Amino acid sequence: MSAVESTPTAAEALPGPEYGPFSAAAAEPTPPGAAPESPQGLTDPTSPAASVRAMKKKHGYERQKRASFAGLTTKSSKLLRTAPVEHKENAPPLLVWHRLNLSYGPSAPVIVNCSGAVDRGNFVAVLGPSGSGKTSLIDLLSSRKTTGYFTGVLRLDGLPFTQSRVRHSSAYIPTIQAFPALLTVLETLTFVARLRCPRSVSDAEVAENSTDLLDEFGLASKASEYVGGTLASGQVVKGLSDGQKRRLAIARGVISRPSVVFADEPTRGLDAGATLSVMKLLGDLARTANIGVLCTIHQPHQTIWKMFDRVYFLSAGYVMYDGPAADAVPWFGGLGYFGEQQLGSASPSEVCIDLMSIDFFKPAHLYGENTMRDITDVAAASWQFTKTKLEFYDDVLMRCNMVAKDEETLQLIIFDAASFSTEIRELFVRAFKLRRRDPTGQLLRFALMLAVSLGAAWAFGPTRDVDYGEMNLTTAHRTMHNNQGILFFYICAAALSMFVPLRSVAYDHAHFVHESDEGLYSVAAYYLTNTIVEMGSSAITAAPCAFAYATLAGLRDVPLTTALLCGVALLYTQILIFSVAITPSADHAYIVATGIFILGFVSSGYPVAVESMNQYYKWVRHYSTLKPPFDAFVRIQFGSSAIQDRTKDPGWHNYHQGNVGTDISIMLVTWLFFSVTSFFCMRFLYKHEH
């Protein structure tokens, strides 16, 4: 995605209004009263009364400190950085976007000539039919849009947009909440607080203030309960309701005292009571903490509709209206579509969204003749509104450019990223808690490897002391081949057992994807922690089972054999991490990991002799993940001088002539390859998080 910033002038014209269902009289519509007001704190020539002082007096957010949010402004002020910032008369709007255009190609516009602003203390909603561009707009403004091409101008507190500046001064509440199911509510909040709050705040203060914040959000009674959800195994853990999870998500977002909060469909899937609770929470948060809140919502109830300071209507990417919620219906009425008498008991938002929806057939007996039915109608209505705001937002942008030069007027709070050591510590602590509370995968893997170890030891045991020198060549060859098969089987079983925790690894990775969008920690911290934890789990599982197998089967050089078998487990653990890192789901990761295993199996040299392979396929043996450990295993067990003279036949593998150290070195290089590749793949795919 790329952006082109320029300072537009009022003389630049947008597509004209010489089309659509408007008469000459409707070409210059004027809604009852004044034209739509400007964002609070801005001076709009079309709305002279909307001055900075008038808006401050109207909403009273300078002195307003409701009891329900006392913690945000008083006792939690150290954790949340500052008390509410006093609105300076010359300060620029908190968030300004002007003439934004977003597309995925010449014929796929998503946002068209969109302008708007959000100021401190404002609760602003973006509404529109499905596919109107609501989510794309909020993703773009929150610096989470990673695809497409956009042009336009973006300002945050008068400063140019940068990903770092936006990510470290804002909070993003996604539609889908992703919480580790086996963390308590307090642990979930504390984890974010320790990564987002000032380094000067001690762990004890973080814990205390996190508890206070849960109290402010009505979750104090749930502090010691699991958040709940579905585990990687499919097991459902009882925990918070959907509404309570949304409140927890908001608490996670505001723990760092952001200047602006973005919320994408925060009420989706909630019942009426939970919806009202969440939206009231956001509205109170905006006015009490003196921050800007911008959310997308589909069709809010009238009670919620009245909470908004401003609303933005989008249709097919076009701005249809920008102003106070109460003036939306009069505006469209002034264009000749409908009036207050046509609303009935319906919510104004529902009526407006039905008017602007053009992706379905509208029966005349339900919607009347004067409604928007295609993109031409939408573009024409958008132009009628846009031209009333064009010069206004040009002036706002020039004001931002001038005011931003005066550092005394800037109020943006940028919170620091946690140190790398803090990221490592918190990720380790969380990983340990999650695995301790759900040891099923670890126990299953251990049980599987132990069963395989005992079975292989029993199978190999009767033939471990065979004297190959006393056999004829054919019998010795067959006996050795059988014993090699048992060793090869165990190596394959050790590799395949590492697939058991794949869904758990993918489950953790899914949380990383969501948390990387929030910029909680770096890819390096997550990757290092995740790799060490998974390698440690694999070693703890593989070491005792490999030792038991080597001892019971009477294998030569038990310490080296045990280390070699553990090396196979660690190698395939890294392959597992690689498969999860480059794929979007656990199912895809299974395919990648299985493909790597099959390639290693076929080219290992045991099922099919290398000498018998097609000449165009022989090169694959150099990249086999199973051939080096198998070769080393066989050399350790059968490379003795006792059978050295019997192995000169070309059909035999002269393992006694090889070097075990070389095989182990190849395994190490292979592990390093998958390790480095995994990291850089993750770094490339999620490079936007820090």
Side-chain angles (χ1 to χ4, degrees), residues 46-76:
T46 65
S47 182
S51 64
V52 174
R53 295 187 181 278
M55 291 299 104
K56 290 166 66 175
K57 183 178 180 181
K58 176 181 178 182
H59 293 285
Y61 56 73
E62 286 183 304
R63 299 181 178 85
Q64 190 176 23
K65 295 183 180 180
R66 302 182 183 181
S68 62
F69 279 88
L72 293 176
T73 57
T74 57
K75 70 183 166 183
S76 297

Side-chain angles (χ1 to χ4, degrees), residues 448-516:
L448 176 62
M449 283 205 66
L450 183 61
V452 171
S453 298
L454 296 177
W458 176 81
F460 189 78
T463 58
R464 63 176 181 258
D465 296 324
V466 172
D467 187 358
Y468 296 98
E470 298 295 327
M471 301 178 183
N472 60 55
L473 189 61
T474 301
T475 304
H477 189 183
R478 183 173 60 249
T479 303
M480 182 180 288
H481 184 79
N482 292 338
N483 289 336
Q484 288 177 4
I486 297 172
L487 299 179
F488 184 70
F489 163 76
Y490 189 84
I491 289 177
C492 291
L496 289 173
S497 66
M498 298 301 106
F499 284 32
V500 173
L502 188 146
R503 289 198 173 275
S504 296
V505 176
Y507 181 78
D508 293 339
H509 187 76
H511 290 114
F512 157 72
V513 172
H514 286 277
E515 291 168 346
S516 70

Side-chain angles (χ1 to χ4, degrees), residues 57 82 305 431 681:
K57 183 178 180 181
T82 63
W305 174 259
C681 285

Side-chain angles (χ1 to χ4, degrees), residues 431-439 508 530 533-534 537:
F432 175 77
K433 289 179 179 178
L434 293 176
R435 281 160 177 76
R436 179 170 57 85
R437 293 168 183 176
D438 184 26
D508 293 339
N530 188 55
V533 169
E534 291 302 325
S537 298

Side-chain angles (χ1 to χ4, degrees), residues 403-461:
V403 173
K405 299 177 182 179
D406 183 5
E407 295 184 358
E408 294 183 358
T409 64
L410 300 179
Q411 307 174 69
L412 189 67
I413 300 171
I414 305 294
F415 45 87
D416 300 328
S419 64
F420 187 74
S421 60
T422 300
E423 294 176 345
I424 293 291
R425 183 193 67 182
E426 295 303 319
L427 287 168
F428 263 124
V429 171
R430 186 175 73 168
F432 175 77
K433 289 179 179 178
L434 293 176
R435 281 160 177 76
R436 179 170 57 85
R437 293 168 183 176
D438 184 26
T440 306
Q442 186 76 6
L443 294 176
L444 180 61
R445 180 165 55 173
F446 180 80
L448 176 62
M449 283 205 66
L450 183 61
V452 171
S453 298
L454 296 177
W458 176 81
F460 189 78

Side-chain angles (χ1 to χ4, degrees), residues 5 61 68 159 183 242 351 447-449 566 604 650 669 690:
E5 269 203 9
Y61 56 73
S68 62
L159 301 173
L183 286 184
D242 289 341
V351 175
L448 176 62
M449 283 205 66
C566 287
S604 64
V669 171
H690 257 237

Side-chain angles (χ1 to χ4, degrees), residues 598-612:
I598 292 175
L599 181 63
F601 180 91
V602 173
S603 57
S604 64
Y606 179 78
V608 180
V610 175
E611 294 80 6
S612 303

